[in-house]
Amino acid sequence: MPRTSDLMTMTSTRDSGTPTRPAYEDGDNPRGGTERHGGGPMSRLSGRLTGRMSLRRREALAGYAFVAPSAIGVGVFVLVPMLMAFVLSFTSADGFGRMDFVGLENYRRMFDDPQFMDSMRVTLLYVGAFVPGLYVLALVMALLVNGNLPGRAFFRAAFFAPYTVSLVVVGLVWRYMLADRVGVVDSWLRALGVENPPSFLGDPDWALWTVVFVSIWFFVGFYMIILLGGLQDIPGDLFEAARLDGAGYLRTLFSVVLPLLRPTTFFALVLATIAGLAGLQAFDLIFVMTEGGPANSTSLGIFYIYQQAFRGNQFGYASAMAVWYALALMVLTGIAFWLTKGGRFERD
Amino acid sequence: MSFRRHRSGGVVPPGKLWTPRDGGEGRRSGYGGHRAGFSRRRFLSSSLGLGAGLAGGGAFLTACGNDNGDGPGAGTGGDVGTSNDVIDFWQWYAPQEGGGYAVEAQSDWFLDLVDEWNARGGVQVALTYIPVSEYIEGTQLQSAFSAGSGPDLFVISPGDFLRYYNGDVLYDLTDALGDGIDDFYESALSTRVVDGRVYGIPMESEPLTMFYSVAAFEEAGLSEGDIPQTWDQLLDVADKLTTGDQFGVLFETTPNVYQNFTWYPFLWQAGGDVVNETGLASAFDSPATAAALGFWQEAIDAGVAPRTMQGGGGGDLVSNMPSGYAAMAQMVTAGGSFLEEGAPDFEYGMFPLPVPDTSADPITDMGGWAFCVNKNSPHAEAAAEFCAWALAGEESVDRLVTWAFDAKKSLPVRKSVMQKANDDGLFDQDELMAYAAFDVLGLDPGNLDSDDTPYGRGEPRFTPEVVQAVTDAIQDAQLNGVDPAQAAADAHGRINDALADYDGAPLGS
């Protein structure tokens, strides 16, 4: 009977690719070590201890080696810049190497800056429309392609297709389609009897909602796939039980599907909120489609931060806004996790 | 001149389509459209030139091992440092291939320029191409400076001047220029000068003008006599040109520096300005500002101008005019060469910017790029000499004529270059350039030695905060229905706030 420790050894070394013959040759084997040295009880004990330590160290090293590429990547390209941005946010950095410590000045200025507050208002409107809109549409589509829809493989692929296209291309194509008077959307609306279709990207009352729509169009396939995964996780016997109990489609949806989909929903909503606040589309699409216009009506926070940094050379100020943004995201995500116990809900 | 003649293409007798200021009629007469602005011969010679340029580029790569500047010809130029030292020159022209005649001609010009310099020995110049979109709207140049590795030499537009000047990275080029300074038009140099010192040497000027579609005019039953001279006339003609799927006139609506650039002329024509004569306080809250904002607002409200642009924005004539999207549009005169290349069958004409009333001058805004040197470069002095040699020296006159007439279709900014082109009869052969120089800028062909560009004013330099305040005012009035006077007042306050603790160079032009 192998002892537990041997089992552990065997198990752990199996991970390193030698399932039958652990790599003890270098003398670190707890037993081999004691045999070779032939010491008394103390030395045996210490040998076992160092052996175990070094094994642990080895395991740890292997673990670190596995996470190192990711960790270094995240560290160099995310954590260090975040830290630097945090430090920069207390300075007047101008992008040409000059920076003075200004304390909380940038943070104070932020809340006195009507343009920033306006961009926050626009951001809230955007996220407020984007996240629920995206979720509901993705769910409807996931339900559709989860059922017995003829040609559902085609629809799954078709719904996902926009997500595979570069955002810049998406922005450009939609710009052409939404052009005043000559755009295809305008033509269709006229053909449908709409006398004076609005300027979707040129009218401040329309532009933000248009950008929300295109953002949803772009992302919906991706979220559909996530939700589809969640739907397919729901055991089929539950549907059967619901059917036997006489539940209709809507009743099943609200009493079976949605409750069981909650972990997936949670994940999708958190992801969508982050995407809405700071995702690529919040910047790329807007840069291509409107450059924040007309009249700043699509100038989201993330776009305003970019403008301040790279057009205005206000790197300190932009960093302060970015820090504020990151904090807001952390708090939002934290609240979501706290409310849902990490997204596990009552199932665990 | 009749529209039929425009139809006949590029066989118009030279010099007939522009009539420089003949009793005030000339500058109003417009510029007849045509199809073939470049002769086949010029195109061919340019193509050959590209080949030579590329071959020369190869020679340049191997020339890095040359001795330092002891040879003949050295001593006036690149003799600071050795040929092992390389000046990195960032710009958006060369080396690049493809993209049509203009792109190749411009790339050629830069390659030839650098070859010629490098052949002299001494510090070598190497070209680094940055795509223009990245150059204008992107972050690459700024990021390079932020990282402390800005290029030794680079080009900038007036809109970017203050950012880099106030960033304290521009090298003083005054000494390198020497007497050459006097040869430049005041309007071209002033936006690159601080306290009498020159920090950028302009290579060209690009004045704004109006373009119109000949076909659209004909379809609307309009003739050349209907070419609008005032704002009201423009709106009236635009109304006649507006159809179910065509807008009468196009003004930029994208919120960026280019939109400001295209709007300033109307502000100036009305007698207004962004900052006062000190360049350190706002002058924006004025009836003139409200009038200029109101002009653009009216175009939108009347439904004769679009709210969205096609292609790359309002300056992208090829996307906006030949397609029939807009019948009139604003662009720098060089836009004519874009149209001839991008839409060779499209017949267009040009006319000077309309004015608020006939007593006002058709003041226009002159863009254009300048060479600047990074003051932190170890080769700053040599780079400055290169700039002066390339753009201001006696021997650069022919080169700059080539740039203006063959490559870019932008106007020279030096009197001697203008004079040389005139002496060589180039204006007689090139209607577009003649129109730009004499009708748009109001230069007198009989007196090209004047420092003055009567209707041409340099693109002003502003800080980013001021640019943003002006953009917001334009956007609010043009697209958001805000009362123009209110928009002017709001921006006025923001400009003054931004300038309250400003300690950089004066703004404006």
Side-chain angles (χ1 to χ4, degrees), chain B residues 298-326:
Chain B
E298 214 179 320
I300 296 285
D301 287 353
V304 301
R307 287 173 172 270
T308 57
M309 310 283 102
Q310 301 275 292
D316 184 353
L317 289 184
V318 176
S319 295
N320 285 293
M321 292 192 77
S323 63
Y325 187 61

PDB file of all heavy atoms in Angstrom, chain B residues 298-326:
ATOM      1  N   GLU B 298     -27.571  77.661 -41.074  1.00  0.00           N
ATOM      2  CA  GLU B 298     -28.647  77.847 -42.035  1.00  0.00           C
ATOM      3  C   GLU B 298     -28.574  76.800 -43.147  1.00  0.00           C
ATOM      4  O   GLU B 298     -29.602  76.309 -43.624  1.00  0.00           O
ATOM      5  CB  GLU B 298     -28.546  79.255 -42.627  1.00  0.00           C
ATOM      6  CG  GLU B 298     -29.895  79.864 -42.933  1.00  0.00           C
ATOM      7  CD  GLU B 298     -29.752  81.276 -43.488  1.00  0.00           C
ATOM      8  OE1 GLU B 298     -28.885  82.016 -42.973  1.00  0.00           O
ATOM      9  OE2 GLU B 298     -30.488  81.603 -44.437  1.00  0.00           O
ATOM     10  N   ALA B 299     -27.349  76.493 -43.560  1.00  0.00           N
ATOM     11  CA  ALA B 299     -27.193  75.491 -44.629  1.00  0.00           C
ATOM     12  C   ALA B 299     -27.784  74.152 -44.215  1.00  0.00           C
ATOM     13  O   ALA B 299     -28.418  73.460 -45.017  1.00  0.00           O
ATOM     14  CB  ALA B 299     -25.726  75.343 -44.991  1.00  0.00           C
ATOM     15  N   ILE B 300     -27.593  73.796 -42.947  1.00  0.00           N
ATOM     16  CA  ILE B 300     -28.152  72.535 -42.439  1.00  0.00           C
ATOM     17  C   ILE B 300     -29.662  72.649 -42.268  1.00  0.00           C
ATOM     18  O   ILE B 300     -30.421  71.790 -42.715  1.00  0.00           O
ATOM     19  CB  ILE B 300     -27.496  72.154 -41.092  1.00  0.00           C
ATOM     20  CG1 ILE B 300     -25.998  71.869 -41.268  1.00  0.00           C
ATOM     21  CG2 ILE B 300     -28.218  70.971 -40.450  1.00  0.00           C
ATOM     22  CD1 ILE B 300     -25.684  70.545 -41.905  1.00  0.00           C
ATOM     23  N   ASP B 301     -30.068  73.746 -41.619  1.00  0.00           N
ATOM     24  CA  ASP B 301     -31.497  73.902 -41.332  1.00  0.00           C
ATOM     25  C   ASP B 301     -32.329  73.941 -42.615  1.00  0.00           C
ATOM     26  O   ASP B 301     -33.454  73.453 -42.659  1.00  0.00           O
ATOM     27  CB  ASP B 301     -31.742  75.177 -40.524  1.00  0.00           C
ATOM     28  CG  ASP B 301     -31.268  75.014 -39.084  1.00  0.00           C
ATOM     29  OD1 ASP B 301     -30.891  73.872 -38.733  1.00  0.00           O
ATOM     30  OD2 ASP B 301     -31.260  76.004 -38.332  1.00  0.00           O
ATOM     31  N   ALA B 302     -31.752  74.551 -43.653  1.00  0.00           N
ATOM     32  CA  ALA B 302     -32.486  74.661 -44.907  1.00  0.00           C
ATOM     33  C   ALA B 302     -32.501  73.335 -45.668  1.00  0.00           C
ATOM     34  O   ALA B 302     -33.141  73.215 -46.712  1.00  0.00           O
ATOM     35  CB  ALA B 302     -31.872  75.758 -45.775  1.00  0.00           C
ATOM     36  N   GLY B 303     -31.739  72.379 -45.165  1.00  0.00           N
ATOM     37  CA  GLY B 303     -31.724  71.059 -45.826  1.00  0.00           C
ATOM     38  C   GLY B 303     -30.900  71.035 -47.096  1.00  0.00           C
ATOM     39  O   GLY B 303     -31.000  70.096 -47.887  1.00  0.00           O
ATOM     40  N   VAL B 304     -30.056  72.046 -47.303  1.00  0.00           N
ATOM     41  CA  VAL B 304     -29.252  72.065 -48.533  1.00  0.00           C
ATOM     42  C   VAL B 304     -27.855  71.509 -48.307  1.00  0.00           C
ATOM     43  O   VAL B 304     -27.088  71.339 -49.244  1.00  0.00           O
ATOM     44  CB  VAL B 304     -29.152  73.491 -49.129  1.00  0.00           C
ATOM     45  CG1 VAL B 304     -30.540  74.020 -49.439  1.00  0.00           C
ATOM     46  CG2 VAL B 304     -28.406  74.445 -48.187  1.00  0.00           C
ATOM     47  N   ALA B 305     -27.501  71.229 -47.039  1.00  0.00           N
ATOM     48  CA  ALA B 305     -26.188  70.648 -46.729  1.00  0.00           C
ATOM     49  C   ALA B 305     -26.398  69.395 -45.890  1.00  0.00           C
ATOM     50  O   ALA B 305     -27.313  69.350 -45.065  1.00  0.00           O
ATOM     51  CB  ALA B 305     -25.328  71.654 -45.960  1.00  0.00           C
ATOM     52  N   PRO B 306     -25.590  68.369 -46.098  1.00  0.00           N
ATOM     53  CA  PRO B 306     -25.762  67.119 -45.363  1.00  0.00           C
ATOM     54  C   PRO B 306     -25.178  67.188 -43.949  1.00  0.00           C
ATOM     55  O   PRO B 306     -24.270  67.982 -43.692  1.00  0.00           O
ATOM     56  CB  PRO B 306     -24.979  66.111 -46.201  1.00  0.00           C
ATOM     57  CG  PRO B 306     -23.892  66.914 -46.826  1.00  0.00           C
ATOM     58  CD  PRO B 306     -24.453  68.300 -47.036  1.00  0.00           C
ATOM     59  N   ARG B 307     -25.699  66.352 -43.097  1.00  0.00           N
ATOM     60  CA  ARG B 307     -25.156  66.252 -41.743  1.00  0.00           C
ATOM     61  C   ARG B 307     -24.028  65.236 -41.664  1.00  0.00           C
ATOM     62  O   ARG B 307     -23.274  65.221 -40.716  1.00  0.00           O
ATOM     63  CB  ARG B 307     -26.267  65.840 -40.766  1.00  0.00           C
ATOM     64  CG  ARG B 307     -27.257  66.939 -40.462  1.00  0.00           C
ATOM     65  CD  ARG B 307     -28.423  66.407 -39.634  1.00  0.00           C
ATOM     66  NE  ARG B 307     -29.278  67.488 -39.174  1.00  0.00           N
ATOM     67  CZ  ARG B 307     -29.101  68.126 -38.011  1.00  0.00           C
ATOM     68  NH1 ARG B 307     -28.129  67.769 -37.203  1.00  0.00           N
ATOM     69  NH2 ARG B 307     -29.907  69.096 -37.662  1.00  0.00           N
ATOM     70  N   THR B 308     -23.978  64.338 -42.627  1.00  0.00           N
ATOM     71  CA  THR B 308     -22.910  63.342 -42.609  1.00  0.00           C
ATOM     72  C   THR B 308     -22.102  63.409 -43.899  1.00  0.00           C
ATOM     73  O   THR B 308     -22.617  63.810 -44.939  1.00  0.00           O
ATOM     74  CB  THR B 308     -23.477  61.913 -42.472  1.00  0.00           C
ATOM     75  OG1 THR B 308     -24.381  61.685 -43.551  1.00  0.00           O
ATOM     76  CG2 THR B 308     -24.197  61.735 -41.159  1.00  0.00           C
ATOM     77  N   MET B 309     -20.851  63.006 -43.792  1.00  0.00           N
ATOM     78  CA  MET B 309     -19.940  63.043 -44.931  1.00  0.00           C
ATOM     79  C   MET B 309     -19.752  61.629 -45.475  1.00  0.00           C
ATOM     80  O   MET B 309     -19.853  60.653 -44.746  1.00  0.00           O
ATOM     81  CB  MET B 309     -18.565  63.576 -44.514  1.00  0.00           C
ATOM     82  CG  MET B 309     -18.587  64.882 -43.728  1.00  0.00           C
ATOM     83  SD  MET B 309     -18.867  66.335 -44.747  1.00  0.00           S
ATOM     84  CE  MET B 309     -20.588  66.669 -44.445  1.00  0.00           C
ATOM     85  N   GLN B 310     -19.417  61.551 -46.724  1.00  0.00           N
ATOM     86  CA  GLN B 310     -19.076  60.260 -47.313  1.00  0.00           C
ATOM     87  C   GLN B 310     -17.565  60.041 -47.205  1.00  0.00           C
ATOM     88  O   GLN B 310     -16.802  61.006 -47.092  1.00  0.00           O
ATOM     89  CB  GLN B 310     -19.459  60.243 -48.797  1.00  0.00           C
ATOM     90  CG  GLN B 310     -20.927  60.494 -49.055  1.00  0.00           C
ATOM     91  CD  GLN B 310     -21.742  59.229 -48.960  1.00  0.00           C
ATOM     92  OE1 GLN B 310     -21.623  58.339 -49.772  1.00  0.00           O
ATOM     93  NE2 GLN B 310     -22.578  59.162 -47.949  1.00  0.00           N
ATOM     94  N   GLY B 311     -17.157  58.784 -47.314  1.00  0.00           N
ATOM     95  CA  GLY B 311     -15.731  58.457 -47.376  1.00  0.00           C
ATOM     96  C   GLY B 311     -14.955  59.015 -46.199  1.00  0.00           C
ATOM     97  O   GLY B 311     -15.359  58.880 -45.056  1.00  0.00           O
ATOM     98  N   GLY B 312     -13.857  59.661 -46.504  1.00  0.00           N
ATOM     99  CA  GLY B 312     -12.957  60.133 -45.458  1.00  0.00           C
ATOM    100  C   GLY B 312     -13.316  61.493 -44.905  1.00  0.00           C
ATOM    101  O   GLY B 312     -12.469  62.131 -44.293  1.00  0.00           O
ATOM    102  N   GLY B 313     -14.532  61.978 -45.115  1.00  0.00           N
ATOM    103  CA  GLY B 313     -14.915  63.271 -44.574  1.00  0.00           C
ATOM    104  C   GLY B 313     -15.084  64.312 -45.665  1.00  0.00           C
ATOM    105  O   GLY B 313     -14.980  64.010 -46.859  1.00  0.00           O
ATOM    106  N   GLY B 314     -15.352  65.534 -45.250  1.00  0.00           N
ATOM    107  CA  GLY B 314     -15.661  66.601 -46.194  1.00  0.00           C
ATOM    108  C   GLY B 314     -14.525  66.885 -47.170  1.00  0.00           C
ATOM    109  O   GLY B 314     -14.753  67.347 -48.286  1.00  0.00           O
ATOM    110  N   GLY B 315     -13.292  66.626 -46.757  1.00  0.00           N
ATOM    111  CA  GLY B 315     -12.155  66.886 -47.630  1.00  0.00           C
ATOM    112  C   GLY B 315     -11.982  65.822 -48.696  1.00  0.00           C
ATOM    113  O   GLY B 315     -11.187  65.991 -49.623  1.00  0.00           O
ATOM    114  N   ASP B 316     -12.718  64.750 -48.581  1.00  0.00           N
ATOM    115  CA  ASP B 316     -12.625  63.653 -49.544  1.00  0.00           C
ATOM    116  C   ASP B 316     -13.563  63.946 -50.712  1.00  0.00           C
ATOM    117  O   ASP B 316     -14.665  63.419 -50.801  1.00  0.00           O
ATOM    118  CB  ASP B 316     -13.001  62.338 -48.839  1.00  0.00           C
ATOM    119  CG  ASP B 316     -12.842  61.122 -49.731  1.00  0.00           C
ATOM    120  OD1 ASP B 316     -12.578  61.296 -50.935  1.00  0.00           O
ATOM    121  OD2 ASP B 316     -12.967  60.001 -49.209  1.00  0.00           O
ATOM    122  N   LEU B 317     -13.097  64.813 -51.608  1.00  0.00           N
ATOM    123  CA  LEU B 317     -13.955  65.250 -52.723  1.00  0.00           C
ATOM    124  C   LEU B 317     -14.374  64.075 -53.586  1.00  0.00           C
ATOM    125  O   LEU B 317     -15.502  64.017 -54.074  1.00  0.00           O
ATOM    126  CB  LEU B 317     -13.202  66.270 -53.594  1.00  0.00           C
ATOM    127  CG  LEU B 317     -12.962  67.645 -52.995  1.00  0.00           C
ATOM    128  CD1 LEU B 317     -12.299  68.529 -54.029  1.00  0.00           C
ATOM    129  CD2 LEU B 317     -14.259  68.284 -52.525  1.00  0.00           C
ATOM    130  N   VAL B 318     -13.454  63.136 -53.785  1.00  0.00           N
ATOM    131  CA  VAL B 318     -13.730  62.019 -54.690  1.00  0.00           C
ATOM    132  C   VAL B 318     -14.926  61.209 -54.190  1.00  0.00           C
ATOM    133  O   VAL B 318     -15.726  60.715 -54.976  1.00  0.00           O
ATOM    134  CB  VAL B 318     -12.482  61.136 -54.848  1.00  0.00           C
ATOM    135  CG1 VAL B 318     -12.776  59.921 -55.703  1.00  0.00           C
ATOM    136  CG2 VAL B 318     -11.336  61.947 -55.447  1.00  0.00           C
ATOM    137  N   SER B 319     -15.071  61.094 -52.878  1.00  0.00           N
ATOM    138  CA  SER B 319     -16.211  60.339 -52.344  1.00  0.00           C
ATOM    139  C   SER B 319     -17.485  61.170 -52.330  1.00  0.00           C
ATOM    140  O   SER B 319     -18.572  60.627 -52.375  1.00  0.00           O
ATOM    141  CB  SER B 319     -15.922  59.888 -50.906  1.00  0.00           C
ATOM    142  OG  SER B 319     -14.866  58.987 -50.881  1.00  0.00           O
ATOM    143  N   ASN B 320     -17.332  62.470 -52.238  1.00  0.00           N
ATOM    144  CA  ASN B 320     -18.513  63.303 -52.006  1.00  0.00           C
ATOM    145  C   ASN B 320     -19.100  63.966 -53.248  1.00  0.00           C
ATOM    146  O   ASN B 320     -20.280  64.265 -53.276  1.00  0.00           O
ATOM    147  CB  ASN B 320     -18.199  64.377 -50.963  1.00  0.00           C
ATOM    148  CG  ASN B 320     -18.152  63.810 -49.560  1.00  0.00           C
ATOM    149  OD1 ASN B 320     -19.164  63.372 -49.031  1.00  0.00           O
ATOM    150  ND2 ASN B 320     -16.961  63.769 -48.978  1.00  0.00           N
ATOM    151  N   MET B 321     -18.269  64.229 -54.255  1.00  0.00           N
ATOM    152  CA  MET B 321     -18.797  64.981 -55.398  1.00  0.00           C
ATOM    153  C   MET B 321     -19.162  64.140 -56.623  1.00  0.00           C
ATOM    154  O   MET B 321     -20.287  64.239 -57.108  1.00  0.00           O
ATOM    155  CB  MET B 321     -17.846  66.121 -55.764  1.00  0.00           C
ATOM    156  CG  MET B 321     -17.805  67.189 -54.682  1.00  0.00           C
ATOM    157  SD  MET B 321     -16.988  68.689 -55.219  1.00  0.00           S
ATOM    158  CE  MET B 321     -18.262  69.436 -56.230  1.00  0.00           C
ATOM    159  N   PRO B 322     -18.245  63.329 -57.156  1.00  0.00           N
ATOM    160  CA  PRO B 322     -18.599  62.602 -58.381  1.00  0.00           C
ATOM    161  C   PRO B 322     -19.799  61.679 -58.178  1.00  0.00           C
ATOM    162  O   PRO B 322     -20.567  61.425 -59.109  1.00  0.00           O
ATOM    163  CB  PRO B 322     -17.342  61.790 -58.691  1.00  0.00           C
ATOM    164  CG  PRO B 322     -16.239  62.512 -58.012  1.00  0.00           C
ATOM    165  CD  PRO B 322     -16.850  63.082 -56.776  1.00  0.00           C
ATOM    166  N   SER B 323     -20.009  61.205 -56.962  1.00  0.00           N
ATOM    167  CA  SER B 323     -21.141  60.321 -56.691  1.00  0.00           C
ATOM    168  C   SER B 323     -22.458  61.066 -56.737  1.00  0.00           C
ATOM    169  O   SER B 323     -23.521  60.463 -56.714  1.00  0.00           O
ATOM    170  CB  SER B 323     -20.969  59.703 -55.301  1.00  0.00           C
ATOM    171  OG  SER B 323     -21.002  60.717 -54.314  1.00  0.00           O
ATOM    172  N   GLY B 324     -22.394  62.396 -56.784  1.00  0.00           N
ATOM    173  CA  GLY B 324     -23.623  63.171 -56.808  1.00  0.00           C
ATOM    174  C   GLY B 324     -24.170  63.454 -55.424  1.00  0.00           C
ATOM    175  O   GLY B 324     -25.276  63.952 -55.264  1.00  0.00           O
ATOM    176  N   TYR B 325     -23.380  63.161 -54.398  1.00  0.00           N
ATOM    177  CA  TYR B 325     -23.847  63.408 -53.026  1.00  0.00           C
ATOM    178  C   TYR B 325     -23.940  64.907 -52.756  1.00  0.00           C
ATOM    179  O   TYR B 325     -24.902  65.374 -52.164  1.00  0.00           O
ATOM    180  CB  TYR B 325     -22.879  62.748 -52.045  1.00  0.00           C
ATOM    181  CG  TYR B 325     -23.322  62.784 -50.604  1.00  0.00           C
ATOM    182  CD1 TYR B 325     -24.504  62.167 -50.216  1.00  0.00           C
ATOM    183  CD2 TYR B 325     -22.548  63.411 -49.633  1.00  0.00           C
ATOM    184  CE1 TYR B 325     -24.905  62.190 -48.893  1.00  0.00           C
ATOM    185  CE2 TYR B 325     -22.942  63.434 -48.303  1.00  0.00           C
ATOM    186  CZ  TYR B 325     -24.128  62.817 -47.935  1.00  0.00           C
ATOM    187  OH  TYR B 325     -24.514  62.834 -46.626  1.00  0.00           O
ATOM    188  N   ALA B 326     -22.919  65.646 -53.193  1.00  0.00           N
ATOM    189  CA  ALA B 326     -22.926  67.097 -52.995  1.00  0.00           C
ATOM    190  C   ALA B 326     -22.536  67.791 -54.292  1.00  0.00           C
ATOM    191  O   ALA B 326     -21.640  67.336 -55.002  1.00  0.00           O
ATOM    192  CB  ALA B 326     -21.949  67.485 -51.887  1.00  0.00           C
TER     193      ALA B 326
END
